[in-house]
Amino acid sequence: MVRTRALAGPPATGVRLQGIQKYFPANGVHALDTTSFDLCPGEIHALLGENGAGKSTLMHIMAGYMRPTSGRILVDRQEQHFLSPADALAAGIGMVRQHPQVIPGFRVWEGCILGAEPGFPCLHSRKARTQVRRLSDRWGFDLPLDRDMADLTISQRQKTAVLALLLRDVRYLIFDEPTAVLSPKETQGLFALFRLLKQEGKGLVLISHKLEETLAMADRVTVLRKGKTQARGPARSLHDASLQALMFGLAPTKRKGVPDRALRPRALAAVPPPQEPMPSASAPLLQVRGLCVEVPGRPFLRQIDITLLPGTILGIAGVRDSGLETLELALSGFLVPSRGSIKLRDTELAGKGILAFREAGGAYLGADRTGSALAPQRALQESLIIHAHRRSLRGFWGKLGILEQPFLDAWAQRIMEAAKVTGSFKTRADAFSGGMLQRLLLARELAEKTDLLILAEPGWGLDSKNRERLQGELRRYIKPGRGVLLFSTDVDELLALSDRIVVLRNGACSADLRVDPRHQGILPLEVYKERIGQAMVGSTQEGSVYEAV
């Protein structure tokens, strides 16, 4: 049960975190050091900081997922001691996490109503479903309420999590990287929802690395760095350059006579493509022809044709519901196509499975980081050696199926050093921040000897510094003639990383946009964004090709 104590002082409403400290004895990390934060009703408060700054940890404490080592939590002048997320919900605080959890076998409406069933202990199914449907319609979520939660896309899981909180009438909502996997149109819809929630007097916390859109939406901003509160103030008084200086401990730069707005860097600084790209006559690295996938519960794919040349990065744009995840899983062997061909160099892979994809030289890192890419409640090392453990079966003991532990320890340490993440690989994976985990997973895949790397939302959870580092790593990866297939709903990320962009809409290729390196940076990025956005929502003819000239 939540223990509360009334505090003396002037009347106040909202949430206040005072002197919060969080120490993880397992890896000796002080995640938070006398950190403070507050949230008022009817405002959007952005929480910013580099990877590992303590943003998610602080919000997990506010939402009851963690207990602070020391410090105070006050909700409407009442001191709270949350023992679980249920306690925080009872106080009116809920969190939509980066990777919302689902319950396989439960339908969407059942998952939303779980724990808040009308008529409990006797569940009135019709009344409960009607209650969920009405609230879903009110906010325009358009969710398939009778679909198994395990079959939802990531964006649908996010909407389901929001709906579950609204059913419980929470007053303070925390959103952790809410736009990371949303298309521009979906992002606009989410921000419209934020404004409506704000108008109803609800307080919102927004954690994001997309500074420009965050500043446009937020009323106030708090910046964390190395677990400490660096600054707090109105969003209108800040700009990207000053925020990045606070986040990374840099001295802000300003050119004489140039207004601050002009100093805003691009969301992803462009890394120049190779001066001499592979000639079009090169044999394709990956060739997909006539690919069709018809799996119940997933968006279908219709006649997909894709060619990836050696030494290039091909971006695949679209909303997650348009078939992006279906295509990822089909190419990497997780789904069996109904027809069509998938060739990696000269090896046919359609319907051959995951192991055949790996043996042919393919690697895949999906967007569902905590669901399939790692085991969050196990030691981090177990997730880092997922590909390398077979190589530790050496000598006599290896023939008996006994893994060589020193080899595995050295491999895990190598991955951590490559990702520039400190701590012990014996620690549970979920003790690390989302950005750290993303860097570790990318380093794990890049460490393997592969020819093709399929990445979904690779920039998810990365701050601007690590996104720029990712660009350099991918360019080095493709230099010997390897290739990257990059799936993303982030148009800025696609434009910064890709040599060519294919747009997927309603399970089919709706546009093929070639980013000409000779003109990159001259043609306004807004033109590219507009064309990609039009292809995503159906404003262009299918099969059209846009090229910068």
Side-chain angles (χ1 to χ4, degrees), residues 370-387:
T370 59
S372 58
L374 57 80
Q377 297 182 353
R378 304 288 297 178
L380 176 64
Q381 183 182 36
E382 297 182 27
S383 296
L384 299 184
I385 64 170
I386 192 68
H387 307 312

Side-chain angles (χ1 to χ4, degrees), residues 452-471:
L452 170 66
L453 184 57
I454 299 178
L455 298 176
E457 313 291 350
W460 192 353
L462 298 183
D463 55 40
S464 58
K465 180 174 64 177
N466 282 293
R467 288 190 175 205
E468 290 181 16
R469 183 165 160 256
L470 171 63
Q471 295 175 56

Side-chain angles (χ1 to χ4, degrees), residues 499-501 511-519 523 527-528 531 544-549:
D499 302 302
R500 190 170 126 247
I501 297 173
D512 189 335
L513 185 150
R514 293 187 287 273
V515 182
D516 189 340
R518 296 169 299 174
H519 296 274
L523 191 67
V527 175
Y528 289 102
R531 291 173 173 177
S544 59
V545 178
Y546 297 108
E547 182 173 9
V549 294

Side-chain angles (χ1 to χ4, degrees), residues 13 28 48 61 83 184 206 210 281 431 513 534 547:
T13 58
L48 305 177
I61 289 173
L83 304 180
L206 177 59
K210 298 181 179 181
L513 185 150
Q534 289 174 344
E547 182 173 9

Side-chain angles (χ1 to χ4, degrees), residues 336-356:
V336 178
S338 54
R339 56 185 178 277
S341 171
I342 304 171
K343 282 190 176 181
L344 177 52
R345 297 202 187 276
D346 296 323
T347 305
E348 177 60 51
L349 296 176
K352 298 295 180 63
I354 307 164
L355 187 57

Side-chain angles (χ1 to χ4, degrees), residues 344 349 356-363 449-453 477:
L344 177 52
L349 296 176
F357 172 74
R358 282 278 174 184
E359 290 176 343
K449 294 181 178 179
T450 58
D451 292 324
L452 170 66
L453 184 57
Y477 174 82

